Amino acid sequence: MYVDREPAPVNGRQRPHQSLRSPRSHREVADELRTRIRSGVLRPGERMPTQAKLADEFGVERGAVRQALRILQAERLLTGVSKGSPATVAPDLGLRPVASGPQAPPLPTTVALAPRIAQAFAAPHVEIEALSLTAISLNLALGEPLGRIHAGQLKPAKIDVRVLLPSNDIPLAFPSPVHASAADALHRRWVAQRNAQGQVLRHNLLALRSTHGIDVHVSFRALPFTPPVKLYLLNGAEALFAYYTVSRRAAEVDEEHLEMYDAEGTRSVLFPFEQGTGLRDTTFVEQSQLWFDALWRTISTDLVLTG
């Protein structure tokens, strides 16, 4: 999945380049602010930028900002959303129980994954397995539990992470250019993004060895196909499953306007399944674990996050 390279916004970030962009929707604004909250850029209890500053940063009307803030308030990530004073990041992030089993509604990855990853990190032995197109969503979701480890609120004894990503030696089904002449440039950009995200994930986790004395192991293997779905397995007890929905969109690649077919994994809706909440859920988790383990042992190969 290709994601435009954006300079950083408010709170130490620059305004995004918008020369080839259509105006952002209120949902896109909500997605970006949600990511900042979940990753710890905006911390619990912190006052948000004013609606005027957010409107200027994202290049949208204040009405779109208000709609975005109301979405986050409905998700209980913000409090005090009004036309007047700035909203505040909810002070009790990460402390609320996460709905599970049949009661857990399907939610976009940016909403659903982070709290479940944070909950998994409460175990003494954390086991996370992921199959996806890149590691973007997993990196974003790890922001909250890593922040809580550094704050002294969590300290698992051991962390094992296994990630399956597509090989760079295959032609991807997506992202793929509408016009074949741009295939090489788009593929190089995807490989660079996959490698960068994987390296960040590995670095952030392995750093816990020296900073907190946690036994950490991170492994990557390459798939010989483009996964049409994404899967996260948490502590062998929960499976989160989503479809990649491919659509046509435009983006800038090597400073050129490019039409492509791609899927935005951060917006894919995750369906949660948990062992012990019924035969359907338990069987799905077990079969998902068997499927992941089979891919890991058989047709996948060692993945080097360079080149």
Side-chain angles (χ1 to χ4, degrees):
M1 173 177 57
Y2 171 75
V3 174
D4 299 333
R5 185 183 303 171
E6 297 183 1
V10 268
N11 295 344
R13 303 179 177 181
Q14 302 173 354
R15 180 185 304 178
H17 173 66
Q18 306 217 2
S19 61
L20 295 177
R21 293 181 184 276
S22 56
R24 294 197 183 202
S25 70
H26 68 280
R27 295 192 180 278
E28 290 176 305
V29 175
D31 288 346
E32 170 60 24
L33 294 177
R34 185 188 297 109
T35 295
R36 295 182 199 176
I37 293 170
R38 288 297 187 193
S39 64
V41 173
L42 293 167
R43 298 186 177 278
E46 182 177 343
R47 186 67 64 90
M48 294 284 290
T50 65
Q51 292 181 14
K53 286 183 178 179
L54 291 172
D56 181 62
E57 176 194 339
F58 291 108
V60 298
E61 299 294 330
R62 285 201 198 184
V65 171
R66 280 196 293 273
Q67 285 181 284
L69 297 179
R70 286 171 185 151
I71 289 174
L72 300 180
Q73 181 171 249
E75 295 172 5
R76 301 193 296 175
L77 296 177
L78 294 179
T79 62
V81 175
S82 68
K83 294 183 180 180
S85 59
T88 301
V89 180
D92 56 348
L93 284 178
L95 301 180
R96 303 179 179 123
V98 180
S100 60
Q103 290 74 37
L107 293 169
T109 300
T110 48
V111 179
L113 187 57
R116 293 182 179 279
I117 293 282
Q119 184 171 273
F121 267 74
H125 182 189
V126 180
E127 295 179 275
I128 295 176
E129 284 125 353
L131 180 150
S132 56
L133 194 61
T134 70
I136 291 175
S137 296
L138 184 56
N139 262 327
L140 293 173
L142 285 170
E144 181 177 339
L146 292 181
R148 293 174 66 186
I149 288 174
H150 291 300
Q153 298 172 356
L154 292 173
K155 189 174 181 182
K158 185 175 182 180
I159 300 173
D160 286 314
V161 176
R162 297 192 296 168
V163 183
L164 285 169
L165 300 171
S167 168
N168 55 307
D169 297 327
I170 62 170
L172 292 173
F174 60 90
S176 61
V178 173
H179 305 292
S181 59
D184 289 345
L186 182 58
H187 189 77
R188 285 194 302 270
R189 180 56 63 92
W190 171 82
V191 170
Q193 183 186 62
R194 182 207 63 181
N195 291 347
Q197 291 291 332
Q199 290 166 1
V200 168
L201 186 150
R202 182 169 57 194
H203 171 79
N204 288 344
L205 288 169
L206 293 182
L208 298 175
R209 290 178 176 175
S210 58
T211 59
H212 293 80
I214 299 173
D215 183 14
V216 180
H217 300 272
V218 182
S219 303
F220 294 87
R221 287 184 69 79
L223 292 168
F225 60 88
T226 308
V229 299
K230 62 196 307 187
L231 175 71
Y232 303 96
L233 296 164
L234 310 181
N235 294 343
E238 186 171 14
L240 301 169
F241 174 90
Y243 296 101
Y244 281 119
T245 302
V246 179
S247 63
R248 179 169 174 165
R249 69 185 186 92
E252 231 182 301
V253 176
D254 293 340
E255 299 183 351
E256 293 186 11
H257 188 68
L258 179 64
E259 294 285 332
M260 67 178 72
Y261 299 110
D262 197 8
E264 296 188 67
T266 55
R267 296 189 182 186
S268 298
V269 175
L270 282 177
F271 294 84
F273 300 85
E274 187 174 1
Q275 281 196 334
T277 57
L279 180 60
R280 177 174 83 70
D281 278 36
T282 296
T283 303
F284 187 90
V285 174
E286 291 174 350
Q287 292 299 311
S288 296
Q289 188 70 63
L290 289 172
W291 183 63
F292 184 95
D293 290 342
L295 290 174
W296 189 271
R297 292 192 310 266
T298 58
I299 61 174
S300 66
T301 56
D302 289 336
L303 175 59
V304 179
L305 296 171
T306 57

